[in-house]
Amino acid sequence: MSATALFGNTSGLGGSSGGNKHIVEFRAGRMTLKGRMVHPDKRKGLLYVYQGEDSLMHFCWKDRTTGEVEDDLLIFPDDCEFVRVNECTTGRVYVLKFKSFSKKYFFWLQEPKTDKDEDYCRRINEALNNPPTSGGRGGSGSGGQDGELQNLLNNMSQQQLMQLFGGVGQIGGLSSLLGTMGNNSSSGTTGSRASGNSGSSSRGGSAPRTTSAETARTPARPRYAPAPTATPPNTATAAAPAAPGAAAAATAAGGQIFLSDLQRYFSGLGNAPPEGEGAVSGSAAPRVDLGAALSAPEVVSTASEPPNAQRLAPHLPPTSATAAAQDDVRTTLLSPQFAQAANQFSSALTSGQMAPVISQFGLPTDVTSAANTGDMQAFFKALESASGSESSRSLEGDKKKDKPQDDKNDKKDGDAGMSLD
Amino acid sequence: MESAGDWCLIESDPGVFTQLIKTFGVKGVQVEEMWSMDEGEGVFDNLRPVHGLIFLFKYLQHEEPPHPVVTDNRLETIYFAKQVINNACATQAVVSLLLNCSHPDVDLGPELTKLKEFSMSFDPRMRGLTLSNSQTIRTAHNSMSNQTLFEFDQKAPTKEEDAYHFIGYIPINGRLYELDGLREGPIDHGPISPGQDWLNVVHPIIMKRINVYTEGEIHFNLMALISDRKMLYERQIQELMRETQILGMETDDTEKEIRRLRMLIEYEDAKMLRYQQEMARRRHNYLPFIITLLKILAEEKKLLPLYEKAKERALKKGQKKVRV
């Protein structure tokens, strides 16, 4: 039942919160749902919220008598609300509801006085939906994003910074931090998946607490979620006093920092300043699978050009030697096995885990660091500018001769090629 | 094709299964996919003898077995193994069928014979453990899986994963059994009367299942474990040749028949070659290829336009999903 019991407590200090300060705590008992009725669990308990080392918010309930922590839920911002159940008149019952799934957690307040009930409720919501590290999210104006980023960086420990920039090994660093930032409802779906992964289905939207490495990885998911801009507006504004949208002026996305923004920011550190491409800003980049993209006719024709096919030939799967190299490039590109590998590649790339692998291919550091950001576009851009500057000039010349061959396919792409020439 | 990756650790593809079986050291059998069951029992005509059927479907929980589960001493003769680990379910379904197969065409080979002798006296759970701990089976199984470029958790984010499950149908001692590693025992589907083709008995059962799944738009996949085609054709040719030798003359008909059989053999050979190629593609490490391709595209400045297009597509797809 208890996640902590299952996974053990990673840091033994000061109870379940591992020495982390409880942001809110008050005495409350649990309630269990039987059929359509909730029944109080008579044990004395403590409900509290704390922020873990990984910046994720933990929502916990512990038995005050035994000291055992029985609920330890990882909460993603804007995924849940803690509200009073007004239908219950015999006690002060509150429920923790998630947006992304239906599981509910009921609690009854055991504080002797009622005067602070509302305050506790408000503070719980605030802590869960507006975690401290993301600071002045409600801050106004166009500077909101940078300020928020600044805030984020300032609040990071040295270890976290190392994780963020190190990339290798601690892949989840950047993303775990992002998990705490306004990732809107996408983080909700994340949560439910995460719990599914760790095999504790009852946990629903919040990943049970596991080792820090594990938790660090789970929030990486939001980037696969559909663009947050497209999600319906926050329905439970009451639950999130400093709701997103306050800083809406900044971008269409509502002034939150999205993964792509931060990724672009970091990719910019290693690169030329990011170009303001209107199409991208303000919305999280969707998940792009290369499987389909790399089997497009223009790719096939480009790859099949003799000089290119020759370069690719050594890397083809060892199928029959009878067919000409060109044919094999073509079959390979169109094969489902390649599509699968390409999709895997794109997933790996967007997860930001590819840099160590990429670096083995003797690519310039610019390209490798772009790969590290997990932004496919940045990676491609770096790749293009890297190849544009050096040896490819001569190759480009060669291409001109071959041009007639793929003129048809080239028409659409021509502009981009030309403008860079 | 994309969903194939989500089904099981190995693809449910006749080529994969056929090669898997060969890797076990089993001879005389191959696996063919059944595309349709609509034409009645006739669908099996080109496949006979069929030793067993493998049915893959999305696993729905809490389905009550429609027929009695065998727990009596028949378990001593039926090789039934409980499924202990998930990803091996396809392999386990095939192995279970093979180990219950008594047809003279099927040669289990030393490895599976040993395994069967070793674990026959075990209870279903222990048998399952034996199967999943068998080095031979595991190695064969893993060699079928697609090359994973990187060890990272890439499946989880795509979509809620459906659990797919493989079960086998096989006639044993005059009765039709369903072997489902998630059950407590084999499911007894009743007797096959003497002289009756077991395929006629299993056909309506499969049809019923398929109808349920088709209505629910659930993926399913049916494969038949059959005798090695090439072996059968060669045997037939030899027989025809012997006949002509005995008769001392070669009729047009036999000549034609032999030619037809030779063509079928060629067809089988080509198929096996294709399986091997597909397997080579499956096992290939595409990373150097992808990187080189990206470099080429980058040099020709085709990479970013490509990305833009792909992103547009993804955005459109994404929006559709969100609206639901």
Side-chain angles (χ1 to χ4, degrees):
Chain A
M1 187 58 208
S2 157
T4 9
L6 257 175
F7 294 101
N9 209 325
T10 42
S11 42
L13 303 162
S16 78
S17 37
N20 287 297
K21 195 171 148 268
H22 295 178
I23 296 165
V24 197
E25 66 167 46
F26 51 87
R27 282 164 283 181
R30 277 164 120 195
M31 300 185 89
T32 44
L33 188 65
K34 283 177 193 140
R36 297 194 48 79
M37 294 288 291
V38 264
H39 298 271
D41 180 336
K42 296 238 159 62
R43 289 177 296 166
K44 294 182 198 167
L46 185 74
L47 199 62
Y48 59 92
V49 171
Y50 77 94
Q51 187 169 35
E53 306 258 294
D54 44 21
S55 310
L56 296 170
M57 299 309 292
H58 294 249
F59 180 95
C60 307
W61 184 85
K62 95 172 164 188
D63 184 328
R64 268 188 283 152
T65 318
T66 65
E68 196 187 332
V69 182
E70 297 192 11
D71 281 313
D72 187 348
L73 309 169
L74 281 186
I75 306 292
F76 297 91
D78 294 325
D79 185 36
C80 66
E81 55 177 333
F82 189 72
V83 284
R84 176 155 192 156
V85 180
N86 291 320
E87 288 79 4
C88 178
T89 48
T90 52
R92 295 127 72 198
V93 173
Y94 283 78
V95 59
L96 182 72
K97 290 196 284 199
F98 292 88
K99 287 183 194 146
S100 47
F101 64 108
S102 58
K103 173 105 178 147
K104 292 181 173 66
Y105 293 86
F106 291 93
F107 299 94
W108 58 285
L109 293 203
Q110 295 171 335
E111 288 289 337
K113 287 188 190 158
T114 60
D115 56 343
K116 280 198 168 157
D117 288 5
E118 272 176 38
D119 188 43
Y120 288 136
C121 179
R122 183 187 58 78
R123 280 167 60 198
I124 282 238
N125 280 312
E126 197 160 343
L128 295 180
N129 291 315
N130 198 16
T133 38
S134 57
R137 189 121 62 86
S140 61
S142 53
Q145 277 200 18
D146 277 349
E148 192 166 304
L149 186 62
Q150 201 60 50
N151 206 329
L152 177 84
L153 292 172
N154 286 343
N155 276 305
M156 279 196 282
S157 69
Q158 186 164 2
Q159 191 196 1
Q160 284 170 322
L161 279 166
M162 292 289 284
Q163 284 178 10
L164 181 57
F165 293 108
V168 188
Q170 279 293 346
I171 321 124
L174 174 56
S175 28
S176 79
L177 285 160
L178 283 161
T180 67
M181 306 175 66
N183 248 313
N184 231 352
S185 54
S186 53
S187 52
T189 42
T190 304
S192 54
R193 262 184 224 117
S195 69
N197 281 346
S198 40
S200 163
S201 52
S202 66
R203 291 284 151 172
S206 359
R209 181 158 183 220
T210 60
T211 64
S212 59
E214 189 66 30
T215 45
R217 216 172 294 127
T218 40
R221 300 292 150 56
R223 67 183 55 156
Y224 298 117
T229 31
T231 52
N234 198 339
T235 46
T237 35
T251 57
Q256 298 178 27
I257 294 186
F258 288 107
L259 186 67
S260 59
D261 296 331
L262 198 54
Q263 280 166 340
R264 229 171 308 120
Y265 181 87
F266 283 119
S267 68
L269 294 178
N271 257 327
E275 289 161 55
E277 283 193 15
V280 200
S281 62
S283 72
R287 180 179 176 175
V288 171
D289 276 334
L290 286 176
L294 290 183
S295 59
E298 57 262 38
V299 177
V300 176
S301 70
T302 306
S304 305
E305 283 169 34
N308 293 339
Q310 252 168 35
R311 284 171 67 187
L312 288 166
H315 309 301
L316 288 169
T319 49
S320 80
T322 48
Q326 250 154 309
D327 275 336
D328 253 344
V329 167
R330 193 189 157 75
T331 16
T332 299
L333 285 173
L334 298 177
S335 73
Q337 291 85 8
F338 170 74
Q340 206 172 9
N343 284 340
Q344 243 179 40
F345 177 85
S346 24
S347 308
L349 187 66
T350 31
S351 74
Q353 298 173 50
M354 278 296 280
V357 185
I358 301 269
S359 64
Q360 289 171 19
F361 287 87
L363 291 163
T365 40
D366 278 1
V367 178
T368 317
S369 55
N372 209 5
T373 61
D375 183 351
M376 197 187 286
Q377 194 176 18
F379 172 65
F380 284 179
K381 200 177 274 176
L383 207 56
E384 282 203 355
S385 46
S387 65
S389 52
E390 5 160 332
S391 59
S392 60
R393 281 287 152 218
S394 58
L395 268 168
E396 205 73 341
D398 286 347
K399 286 291 107 54
K400 293 273 144 60
K401 286 174 219 154
D402 297 327
K403 266 284 142 75
Q405 233 185 12
D406 61 359
D407 242 355
K408 254 183 278 163
N409 297 312
D410 238 33
K411 265 183 190 142
K412 276 181 221 153
D413 310 334
D415 310 349
M418 284 305 150
S419 63
L420 282 157
D421 265 354
Chain B
M1 209 53 219
E2 246 190 53
S3 56
D6 294 335
W7 282 9
C8 217
L9 213 80
I10 63 173
E11 260 172 81
S12 71
D13 171 88
V16 171
F17 279 74
T18 302
Q19 287 189 313
L20 181 70
I21 287 171
K22 292 205 166 126
T23 321
F24 291 154
V26 180
K27 289 197 184 79
V29 276
Q30 71 188 55
V31 175
E32 289 294 324
E33 181 155 16
M34 317 265 319
W35 296 103
S36 147
M37 291 286 279
D38 294 342
E39 300 109 84
E41 293 87 33
V43 291
F44 295 114
D45 281 351
N46 295 324
L47 301 172
R48 277 172 226 267
V50 178
H51 308 306
L53 294 171
I54 304 160
F55 196 68
L56 162 84
F57 58 94
K58 195 168 113 177
Y59 184 62
L60 307 165
Q61 262 166 337
H62 307 306
E63 248 183 325
E64 280 306 305
H67 292 276
V69 172
V70 177
T71 47
D72 52 36
N73 65 354
R74 275 179 286 173
L75 281 177
E76 285 163 28
T77 46
I78 300 173
Y79 193 97
F80 177 81
K82 291 263 298 172
Q83 189 174 307
V84 195
I85 40 171
N86 253 331
N87 287 332
C89 63
T91 302
Q92 188 159 347
V94 183
V95 172
S96 298
L97 285 187
L98 286 169
L99 293 186
N100 282 302
C101 214
S102 52
H103 196 279
D105 281 352
V106 183
D107 172 10
L108 282 187
E111 282 296 338
L112 285 196
T113 311
K114 239 186 352 202
L115 187 88
K116 188 176 179 181
E117 279 164 7
F118 174 67
S119 56
M120 201 63 208
S121 58
F122 294 173
D123 66 13
R125 206 185 140 68
M126 278 300 289
R127 283 180 194 164
L129 281 171
T130 314
L131 289 191
S132 51
N133 283 316
S134 157
Q135 184 75 33
T136 318
I137 292 181
R138 193 172 47 212
T139 314
H141 176 93
N142 287 340
S143 73
M144 296 300 136
S145 68
N146 291 18
Q147 169 89 27
T148 35
L149 291 180
F150 330 97
E151 285 292 325
F152 82 111
D153 189 18
Q154 60 119 15
K155 270 192 165 174
T158 47
K159 49 191 153 205
E160 288 301 316
E161 233 171 278
D162 292 325
Y164 283 92
H165 184 48
F166 289 82
I167 55 171
Y169 288 96
I170 191 166
I172 303 170
N173 296 331
R175 296 183 82 83
L176 174 66
Y177 292 99
E178 179 184 323
L179 304 180
D180 177 345
L182 295 178
R183 303 277 189 211
E184 289 308 305
I187 294 165
D188 186 356
H189 280 278
I192 304 159
S193 17
Q196 192 187 12
D197 192 335
W198 78 277
L199 292 171
N200 295 341
V201 181
V202 79
H203 188 266
I205 296 169
I206 300 255
M207 279 309 283
K208 205 173 139 198
R209 261 210 132 115
I210 288 179
N211 286 337
V212 171
Y213 295 136
T214 317
E215 273 167 32
E217 286 180 53
I218 291 166
H219 288 290
F220 65 88
N221 194 318
L222 183 64
M223 279 178 286
L225 185 71
I226 62 174
S227 287
D228 188 319
R229 297 286 88 186
K230 192 180 170 184
M231 184 182 75
L232 287 190
Y233 299 143
E234 277 173 346
R235 205 185 282 161
Q236 284 171 33
I237 290 180
Q238 267 173 1
E239 211 138 292
L240 286 169
M241 304 262 259
R242 214 177 33 237
E243 268 173 40
T244 38
Q245 263 180 356
I246 292 166
L247 293 169
M249 55 176 285
E250 200 169 306
T251 64
D252 277 358
D253 280 354
T254 47
E255 206 184 325
K256 233 199 231 155
E257 179 63 9
I258 289 176
R259 242 196 337 252
R260 190 184 71 90
L261 289 168
R262 291 233 159 93
M263 257 173 59
L264 287 171
I265 289 175
E266 263 175 47
Y267 174 75
E268 286 299 317
D269 281 341
K271 190 163 69 187
M272 291 304 149
L273 193 70
R274 201 183 67 229
Y275 285 171
Q276 275 167 23
Q277 285 187 355
E278 277 168 12
M279 194 50 75
R281 288 199 190 114
R282 230 170 248 131
R283 289 181 193 162
H284 187 63
N285 174 9
Y286 286 95
L287 193 56
F289 183 88
I290 292 174
I291 299 282
T292 314
L293 180 65
L294 292 179
K295 271 190 201 165
I296 290 173
L297 292 169
E299 281 159 16
E300 305 198 2
K301 305 292 174 212
K302 287 176 181 165
L303 205 48
L304 280 176
L306 199 75
Y307 174 80
E308 288 300 327
K309 255 192 231 171
K311 200 180 73 182
E312 257 170 52
R313 256 202 312 266
L315 266 177
K316 268 182 209 153
K317 260 198 335 210
Q319 272 165 4
K320 255 180 226 157
K321 264 180 213 151
V322 170
R323 266 187 218 129
V324 168

